Amino acid sequence: TNVENLPLQSNSVDVVTGFSVLHHLAYQRKVFQEAYRILKPGGYLYTDNDPNYYAKKILQKNRVYNMLRNLYQRIFEKKEGKLNQIDVEKKTREMAEYHQFHTLGFHPKDLSKTLTEVGFREVKVIPHGNSKSFLGNSYLNCPWYFQLYMVLVALLSFDFNYQRVSPQLLILAKK
């Protein structure tokens, strides 16, 4: 089914959910419009696990991080025999992970603005590490590998703002 033209009646569902979906799409506005169309008044759009612009921007500028990331990729891609992928596979992967390769992820203010323009009344875009991080805005409420990631970002950037170094975004929007 095409997510921009769902075979559902307008105002027919209470909740629309998506997990790790938005970063696969070049444009989100049509998906948000379609979600809005099928939601009943008072219904919710919930998406999660898409990249936070701030965290990626911080890392992209850091030479130490880029050196470590390139070393990591060389070791593991070579180990898995993927170092010399053919161009077609690379292009397919780049399109499948559109916002991982072509943008810095999603800017929370831009997402909020788009959702409001589409018609959603209450919009929350929440940076986080993972579901455990909702127990409090703290690195300590995440698994060790998310803690390590966020502490690394904070140390490399000298930016200890939890909202900016959190790698993922959650969206909750009410029609």
Side-chain angles (χ1 to χ4, degrees):
T1 299
N2 181 345
V3 295
E4 295 175 359
N5 189 18
L6 296 170
L8 297 168
Q9 292 181 354
S10 297
N11 302 311
S12 62
V13 299
D14 294 313
V15 177
V16 173
T17 65
F19 185 80
S20 193
V21 171
L22 296 179
H23 68 273
H24 296 289
L25 309 170
Y27 306 102
Q28 294 74 43
R29 180 178 289 274
K30 288 182 180 180
V31 173
F32 293 155
Q33 289 170 330
E34 185 64 0
Y36 187 84
R37 180 188 71 79
I38 66 172
L39 279 170
K40 292 177 183 176
Y44 283 93
L45 167 67
Y46 165 82
T47 71
D48 199 355
N49 204 40
D50 285 301
N52 182 357
Y53 167 87
Y54 290 119
K56 286 190 76 171
K57 183 178 180 182
I58 288 169
L59 290 178
Q60 186 185 44
K61 292 181 176 183
N62 192 285
R63 288 169 41 179
V64 173
Y65 170 80
N66 286 318
M67 181 184 72
L68 292 171
R69 190 185 96 219
N70 289 336
L71 178 64
Y72 173 86
Q73 287 176 335
R74 286 190 174 272
I75 290 169
F76 287 99
E77 287 183 358
K78 187 174 183 180
K79 183 178 179 181
E80 295 175 12
K82 295 181 180 178
L83 190 58
N84 297 315
Q85 290 185 337
I86 60 173
D87 288 338
V88 174
E89 289 176 353
K90 183 178 179 185
K91 287 179 183 177
T92 301
R93 192 173 81 238
E94 286 181 11
M95 279 309 298
E97 295 288 336
Y98 185 82
H99 288 278
Q100 299 287 9
F101 285 91
H102 300 289
T103 72
L104 290 176
F106 298 105
H107 194 291
K109 288 181 183 177
D110 292 342
L111 285 172
S112 292
K113 181 182 176 190
T114 301
L115 287 158
T116 302
E117 289 172 353
V118 165
F120 287 95
R121 294 183 289 136
E122 297 174 25
V123 176
K124 294 180 182 180
V125 180
I126 305 167
H128 68 94
N130 76 341
S131 58
K132 287 187 178 180
S133 65
F134 291 111
L135 299 174
N137 276 346
S138 169
Y139 303 104
L140 302 176
N141 292 321
C142 297
W144 68 269
Y145 46 89
F146 276 106
Q147 289 177 24
L148 180 63
Y149 172 86
M150 290 188 285
V151 168
L152 178 65
V153 173
L155 290 173
L156 291 174
S157 66
F158 299 104
D159 187 339
F160 295 88
N161 182 311
Y162 177 81
Q163 302 259 317
R164 286 195 293 268
V165 300
S166 297
Q168 300 167 352
L169 295 174
L170 173 144
I171 299 170
L172 189 62
K174 184 177 182 180
K175 180 175 179 178

